[in-house]
Amino acid sequence: MNAAYIALIPALPLVGFIFIGLFGKYFPAKISGRLGTLFLAVSTCLAGWEAYQYFFVSGAVGGTYQTTYPIRFSWLEFSPKLIVEIGTIIDPISVMMLLVVTLISLMVHIYSAAYMRGEKRYSTYYAFLGLFTFSMLFLVLSINIIQLYMGWELVGVSSFLLIGFYYDKPSAVAAAKKAFIITRFADMFFLIGILIVSYIGKSLDIPTLISNLSHASSFTITSPLATGFMGFSLLSWGLLMIFIGGAGKSAMFPLHVWLPDAMEGPTPVSALIHAATMVVAGVYLVARFYPIYVFSAPDVLKIIAITGAFTAIFAAIIACVQYDIKRVLAYSTISQIGYMIFALGLAGWGVNKYGFTAAMFHLFTHAIFKALLFLSAGSVIHFIHSNDMRDMGSLRKKMPLTHIVFLIACLAISGIPPFAGFYSKEMILGVAYQTNKIIFIIGIITAGLTAFYMFRLYFSIFWRDKKVQIIRGNAHGSASMTIPLMLLAFGAIGAGFIPFQKLVTFNGQPIAMESNNIVTVLAIVIAVVSIFISAFIYLNDNTIPTKAVKRLGGVYRLIYSKFYIDEIYLFITKKIIFNLVARPVAWIDKYIVDSSINLIGAVTTEISISIKTLQSGRIQGYMSWFLGALLVLVLIFMMS
Amino acid sequence: MFGVPISHVLIVSTALFFIGAYGFLTRTHLIMVLMSMELMLNSTCLNFIIFNKYLFPGTQDGLLFTLFIITIAAAEAAIAIAIILNLYRNFQSVSPEETTTLKY
Amino acid sequence: MHQIIFYTISAMLLISGILTVTTLKFFRAAVYLLATLVLTAGIYFMMAFNFIAIVQIVIYVGGIVVLILFSILLTSTPGAKVDKPKWKNLLSGLLVSLAGLFITSYVFTGYVFKTIKTGPENMQVKSIGMQLLNIKSSGYLLPFELITLLLLVAMISSITIAVGEHKKPELIKTAPLSDTIDKILEEINSENNLDKPASEEIDDKTALKK
């Protein structure tokens, strides 16, 4: 298999980024957009070809999908044992991610051509999109843990650049900083985790690490380090820290606060980065090290599952009361990523086959329908010029196409058959039912909440009677905005039929997964019931929501303020860290360190002033001192 | 030989040296200071000659050193006078008490 | 006989030395310095170092003292007096020089000197030249060369210092080059101290190489 074209998949967006970034100002903005889209289209075609080749032609040997390394060369050679390699890894999840990233990115590129028309920094925007796509593909194809970290940081940077795209808006700047700082904070743990894991695994190479750490003869079992700290072995701590890094990027519970604010960026960017690709990097990370987690640290997997489940329901509750449609979608994203994370973590209870496939399946379908949701929300925002769902209503006649695709996406995310989300979500819930009932119940409740808030959004935007002030006349922009919507809508309908059990599995071998009838029926019933409740409340403009708000009172306010997580962070940073740590440290620096230095300087100055008069410039004075000292020396010499 | 004990001759040269030192320390005109320096150099020459005469009779090393010292003294006097003239131009004074800008 | 002459010369030497450093008149100081140097040459004669005595008279008396006299004439009038030394300086000078004299005398009066090395009795001027330009052991060619270099440097530097910072920048900027050069030349000539040190040094050199 000639594999050089795989390198082109990430390389083309990079070329686009460099070319547009450097020379974008020399030709019309439109051309740079077309150019970026063209590069990415080629890249997408290559990725599609690669996926076809891998999954249906040459990837499986004897029914098992192989892990291969078509490109692999050593980049930094510190010593024969410490080599940083760069290359591409081809296995089911990386090929799937390649396809997802390039496909969604291409949709966003096409969509942005109309959405961002007339922006002053149009070509810069496309350059940044190219940078992001390159970084994400680089991350996905990483063969080495250092390469992975590089890609990881690059997506962080491009996410920062794109959130702060409207840099004259203070809120966008604040959001960009917030996202960057929080993910950097998590990345610090990631780096520590990398160091620990690569120290124990004696390699930086991901395949070598996996083979070193997931066999019975591996280092951890015999080592004294296995005892560890607080009941966890050192390796478990390292893996936990890697997960914290992933949690930062994937906006898991205590680190989720940046994602809703990141909606300050342009809507297509939210669709690309903060819904479909970058935020699932954490899921991808856990999936990449899945064998190590399963074999060496099932306890950590339990923590991962609990974090994911808690985040899923927590974000879903908040999503029910938000008014900004992009924020609703952001919390929905957090919630859905929580699903994927707990699906992966379920292996901690012993069943390790299905969770992986379920999580990857959900990642795939979620990418499609969430991108669709964001892009159609973008159309609505483009049309209405507002983010607030209270400004919207009865748009179904004015935007029929958007209405239909939004409905499809809502049905998909709510888990109504035969849309894509149903299959993946049902698979996750099935696994949870088999392994851990509590998480299963949380998942079911979250599924209900998801259906509720998605249809709340849907009815509020498209059905509720309200006079809408329309600023722009054209409801659907141009073809470049509608085509991606339609393509993604087909994806949201059809993606569920892809036989993921056969294609993307933990060890490459297809698994047989019988669906559990109880789970299926329960999931459908709760979704439909939630949709009807939502329709009952929000289909018409009535007083039920306000009554409910009054009834709930404090609880509502608590949820509406997102459980005061931001305020708690501010309290911790401003009141506790600034007052109790930073201020004393600053005081010590200012008054003790600085003044000791000043003391040294002052003493030196004083001594210098007092003795400098010896240097009088009078040669006779010098001479008398010289002769006198000479005589004293002679005397001393004589005495001794 | 010479009939005078070496210590007497040495006392003469030592006395000449410290007379020069005294002049160096007390004079208020740089040309006078220069003259005192010449006295000191002269006493050093004398010392070389004395030791050559008394301790190394028949050799010439002390003599040659004296020759060198005289040469250096000539060069030093020429430069010193050039410096003094320059000082006089810049300060309108040649007192070592007043030309004291080369300090802290 | 030798002793009488020696003690007489020594007494005159010390007295003229003391007068050199105590008199307040320039000319007298210079003349006393002259006397001191000539008397030192007398001691050299008594010790049978005729060559060095002649060099002393030629260079010191004929060169350096004349140079000093010239500079006195350039900076002050012949009968001018210098200021009296300050009490502080007088005190420190007396203290240091007397202490030095006593300490040094104490050092060498208690020491018994012995002849270390003897050479041939009949010394000739030729042998001085032979040893000065000898490159074998106990030859002095290297110091000789260094001294010649030093004299060259001294000559150049004394010219440079004496000419000094006389170039006026605004003159160079505004006036034509030839005017500036004329001006500088005029200044150099007006100083007329320039060629004297140089000529003296050339004298020194010829004297040395004799």
Side-chain angles (χ1 to χ4, degrees):
Chain A
M1 188 164 66
N2 180 17
Y5 68 90
I6 294 171
L8 278 180
I9 299 172
L12 281 172
L14 180 65
V15 170
F17 160 65
I18 293 171
F19 187 75
I20 298 171
L22 286 181
F23 307 112
K25 58 185 172 184
Y26 298 117
F27 39 77
K30 211 172 181 178
I31 293 179
S32 50
R34 296 270 160 87
L35 211 60
T37 314
L38 182 72
F39 277 123
L40 199 68
V42 176
S43 193
T44 311
C45 291
L46 289 174
W49 169 252
E50 169 62 24
Y52 170 72
Q53 284 284 321
Y54 184 77
F55 283 123
F56 300 111
V57 180
S58 63
V61 176
T64 307
Y65 284 106
Q66 301 293 311
T67 305
T68 55
Y69 317 101
I71 299 165
R72 186 173 195 175
F73 59 91
S74 60
W75 175 49
L76 297 172
E77 244 180 279
F78 297 109
S79 69
K81 281 183 181 174
L82 184 61
I83 298 172
V84 178
E85 286 183 322
I86 279 189
T88 58
I89 190 168
I90 292 294
D91 68 348
I93 54 170
S94 73
V95 173
M96 183 207 74
M97 285 297 286
L98 273 187
L99 194 61
V100 169
V101 172
T102 51
L103 202 63
I104 304 293
S105 185
L106 181 65
M107 293 302 123
V108 167
H109 269 75
I110 296 171
Y111 183 87
S112 303
Y115 188 86
M116 299 297 285
R117 183 177 294 145
E119 285 291 338
K120 206 188 285 172
R121 297 167 73 221
Y122 188 82
S123 61
T124 317
Y125 173 81
Y126 271 97
F128 286 167
L129 279 187
L131 175 65
F132 170 76
T133 313
F134 158 72
S135 326
M136 193 67 204
L137 294 169
F138 189 72
L139 188 160
V140 164
L141 288 171
S142 298
I143 202 168
N144 190 292
I145 202 161
I146 300 292
Q147 187 191 358
L148 185 78
Y149 190 70
M150 278 160 57
W152 192 264
E153 292 301 324
L154 276 173
V155 289
V157 168
S158 36
S159 157
F160 169 79
L161 291 172
L162 284 166
I163 295 170
F165 184 73
Y166 298 122
Y167 59 80
D168 43 2
K169 244 166 70 183
S171 59
V173 174
K177 279 195 287 191
K178 189 175 180 181
F180 196 67
I181 291 169
I182 291 176
T183 51
R184 278 298 313 163
F185 178 71
D187 292 349
M188 183 184 75
F189 290 99
F190 184 27
L191 188 58
I192 298 172
I194 286 176
L195 294 178
I196 294 173
V197 170
S198 58
Y199 171 72
I200 294 174
K202 293 195 186 319
S203 174
L204 290 169
D205 201 34
I206 291 171
T208 319
L209 266 181
I210 289 174
S211 67
N212 276 356
L213 292 177
S214 56
H215 291 294
S217 62
S218 76
F219 179 69
T220 44
I221 308 303
T222 53
S223 158
L225 289 169
T227 52
F229 173 63
M230 278 170 63
F232 273 16
S233 72
L234 184 61
L235 180 61
S236 298
W237 277 106
L239 290 168
L240 184 63
M241 291 203 175
I242 287 185
F243 170 66
I244 291 173
K249 273 275 187 291
S250 289
M252 285 297 104
F253 162 60
L255 301 171
H256 67 278
V257 290
W258 65 272
L259 188 56
D261 286 3
M263 296 303 140
E264 292 291 343
T267 310
V269 166
S270 307
L272 175 61
I273 300 182
H274 307 118
T277 54
M278 188 188 87
V279 288
V280 298
V283 183
Y284 178 77
L285 186 68
V286 177
R288 180 48 76 212
F289 293 106
Y290 196 64
I292 305 179
Y293 278 108
V294 169
F295 188 83
S296 301
D299 292 346
V300 178
L301 276 181
K302 284 179 189 167
I303 292 176
I304 291 173
I306 291 162
T307 313
F310 181 74
T311 310
I313 191 159
F314 172 83
I317 290 169
I318 296 177
C320 291
V321 298
Q322 296 295 313
Y323 287 111
D324 185 328
I325 59 172
K326 283 180 75 181
R327 277 175 195 261
V328 172
L329 292 177
Y331 280 107
S332 152
T333 306
I334 298 174
S335 169
Q336 297 302 310
I337 294 167
Y339 262 101
M340 302 170 205
I341 292 280
F342 84 65
L344 283 172
L346 284 173
W349 282 277
V351 184
N352 55 27
K353 269 188 197 168
Y354 308 118
F356 183 83
T357 304
M360 288 301 118
F361 195 14
H362 197 58
L363 192 160
F364 185 73
T365 55
H366 171 258
I368 291 172
F369 59 67
K370 189 49 69 66
L372 177 57
L373 279 172
F374 264 105
L375 292 184
S376 42
S379 287
V380 172
I381 292 168
H382 199 60
F383 188 50
I384 303 285
H385 244 248
S386 167
N387 278 6
D388 198 322
M389 67 168 83
R390 283 168 296 195
D391 296 343
M392 301 168 187
S394 63
L395 285 175
R396 66 183 183 282
K397 285 168 198 141
K398 294 189 179 100
M399 307 179 78
L401 183 90
T402 313
H403 169 227
I404 290 167
V405 297
F406 200 88
L407 179 61
I408 290 170
C410 282
L411 289 172
I413 196 173
S414 307
I416 305 295
F419 298 100
F422 165 71
Y423 296 95
S424 55
K425 198 176 274 187
E426 187 243 345
M427 197 187 274
I428 290 178
L429 291 175
V431 177
Y433 184 75
Q434 283 177 20
T435 47
N436 191 315
K437 291 288 188 297
I438 297 168
I439 289 182
F440 169 70
I441 291 164
I442 293 175
I444 282 286
I445 294 170
T446 310
L449 286 169
T450 307
F452 173 75
Y453 67 70
M454 284 322 293
F455 275 88
R456 168 176 176 260
L457 194 63
Y458 167 73
F459 288 128
S460 302
I461 295 175
F462 293 102
W463 287 84
R464 194 164 46 118
D465 292 328
K466 191 169 169 101
K467 280 265 180 213
V468 179
Q469 204 179 358
I470 290 159
I471 294 167
R472 295 190 190 176
N474 190 354
H476 284 297
S478 59
S480 77
M481 272 167 88
T482 50
I483 288 173
L485 291 181
M486 287 191 279
L487 287 177
L488 286 171
F490 283 122
I493 296 168
F497 297 110
I498 296 173
F500 255 66
Q501 305 95 301
K502 293 203 178 72
L503 299 177
V504 181
T505 51
F506 161 46
N507 50 8
Q509 288 159 348
I511 50 174
M513 196 169 182
E514 68 279 14
S515 56
N516 191 324
N517 288 330
I518 303 170
V519 175
T520 313
V521 170
L522 201 56
I524 295 172
V525 165
I526 199 160
V528 171
V529 168
S530 303
I531 291 170
F532 276 113
I533 293 171
S534 184
F536 175 65
I537 300 176
Y538 293 106
L539 189 56
N540 295 309
D541 209 4
N542 55 28
T543 53
I544 299 171
T546 44
K547 272 183 199 160
V549 166
K550 264 183 198 154
R551 186 78 52 81
L552 286 169
V555 179
Y556 173 79
R557 246 177 288 124
L558 180 68
I559 299 171
Y560 184 71
S561 330
K562 308 149 201 164
F563 293 97
Y564 295 105
I565 298 287
D566 278 315
E567 283 74 13
I568 290 170
Y569 273 122
L570 279 182
F571 176 78
I572 289 173
T573 51
K574 281 207 170 145
K575 292 275 157 53
I576 295 179
I577 295 180
F578 285 3
N579 278 346
L580 298 184
V581 181
R583 291 250 164 76
V585 169
W587 186 87
I588 287 172
D589 184 57
K590 197 173 172 186
Y591 291 103
I592 293 180
V593 178
D594 282 9
S595 48
S596 60
I597 300 294
N598 286 345
L599 183 70
I600 294 169
V603 167
T604 314
T605 314
E606 287 303 316
I607 292 173
S608 309
I609 287 171
S610 63
I611 64 171
K612 79 175 179 182
T613 49
L614 280 180
Q615 192 192 8
S616 58
R618 294 169 52 244
I619 47 169
Q620 291 173 329
Y622 297 161
M623 185 69 176
S624 59
W625 281 109
F626 167 67
L627 274 180
L630 188 69
L631 291 174
V632 169
L633 281 179
V634 169
L635 275 176
I636 290 170
F637 194 64
M638 277 163 57
M639 297 299 163
S640 60
Chain B
M1 206 162 68
F2 190 53
V4 182
I6 183 171
S7 55
H8 291 194
V9 199
L10 281 177
I11 282 173
V12 172
S13 83
T14 314
L16 195 58
F17 182 85
F18 283 104
I19 288 165
Y22 169 80
F24 191 98
L25 294 179
T26 54
R27 287 306 214 176
T28 57
H29 194 286
L30 276 173
I31 291 179
M32 301 293 226
V33 172
L34 182 63
M35 285 194 227
S36 310
M37 277 164 65
E38 297 295 344
L39 280 185
M40 283 152 82
L41 278 168
N42 195 45
S43 90
T44 322
C45 292
L46 187 55
N47 225 354
F48 268 110
I49 293 292
I50 289 163
F51 282 119
N52 195 354
K53 177 75 183 171
Y54 280 84
L55 305 184
F56 299 85
T59 60
Q60 302 163 339
D61 299 289
L63 185 148
L64 290 172
F65 272 103
T66 309
L67 206 56
F68 291 139
I69 290 170
I70 289 172
T71 323
I72 290 170
E76 168 248 322
I79 293 179
I81 283 169
I83 290 172
I84 288 167
L85 287 177
N86 227 345
L87 271 181
Y88 185 69
R89 264 188 230 127
N90 288 328
F91 290 88
Q92 274 70 46
S93 161
V94 280
S95 164
E97 295 286 330
E98 288 169 27
T99 54
T100 57
T101 50
L102 194 64
K103 62 181 178 184
Y104 50 86
Chain C
M1 189 62 196
H2 263 110
Q3 285 97 326
I4 297 167
I5 298 173
F6 173 75
Y7 289 121
T8 320
I9 290 179
S10 300
M12 286 163 69
L13 181 67
L14 293 182
I15 289 165
S16 59
I18 289 167
L19 285 172
T20 310
V21 298
T22 49
T23 181
L24 294 179
K25 290 184 177 168
F26 285 108
F27 251 73
R28 289 193 185 174
V31 171
Y32 288 133
L33 178 65
L34 192 77
T36 316
L37 296 173
V38 171
L39 287 166
T40 316
I43 289 180
Y44 295 163
F45 272 123
M46 283 188 67
M47 289 179 175
F49 287 102
N50 298 332
F51 173 72
I52 204 73
I54 290 166
V55 168
Q56 167 99 355
I57 288 172
V58 168
I59 295 176
Y60 257 127
V61 178
I64 297 172
V65 176
V66 172
L67 195 62
I68 288 171
L69 278 174
F70 267 118
S71 59
I72 289 168
L73 286 175
L74 282 172
T75 54
S76 57
T77 51
K81 280 185 174 179
V82 292
D83 299 334
K84 280 186 182 168
K86 285 179 188 165
W87 275 106
K88 207 177 101 190
N89 284 358
L90 205 64
L91 209 66
S92 71
L94 268 179
L95 193 74
V96 167
S97 45
L98 285 179
L101 180 61
F102 284 122
I103 289 168
T104 320
S105 311
Y106 174 75
V107 170
F108 66 72
T109 45
Y111 186 80
V112 181
F113 290 99
K114 283 184 189 130
T115 304
I116 295 166
K117 189 181 164 191
T118 53
E121 279 299 313
N122 51 343
M123 275 204 310
Q124 290 174 340
V125 176
K126 185 188 172 190
S127 67
I128 295 173
M130 291 303 285
Q131 196 177 359
L132 197 59
L133 296 179
N134 201 345
I135 55 169
K136 293 197 188 85
S137 67
S138 80
Y140 284 85
L141 187 62
L142 183 65
F144 178 75
E145 290 295 334
L146 288 178
I147 285 289
T148 56
L149 268 181
L150 180 83
L151 283 174
L152 180 69
V153 170
M155 188 169 72
I156 294 169
S157 59
S158 61
I159 292 170
T160 319
I161 293 168
V163 171
E165 300 144 12
H166 278 256
K167 287 174 235 158
K168 294 194 174 68
E170 63 271 14
L171 258 181
I172 292 173
K173 261 184 206 162
T174 55
L177 190 63
S178 57
D179 288 4
T180 317
I181 291 169
D182 286 350
K183 183 93 179 168
I184 292 168
L185 282 179
E186 200 181 346
E187 276 177 16
I188 290 168
N189 288 338
S190 72
E191 299 294 341
N192 84 352
N193 61 332
L194 174 67
D195 39 11
K196 294 231 167 60
S199 68
E200 293 300 332
E201 276 157 15
I202 290 160
D203 280 354
D204 295 350
K205 249 185 196 171
T206 48
L208 263 176
K209 288 184 179 167
K210 203 162 42 182

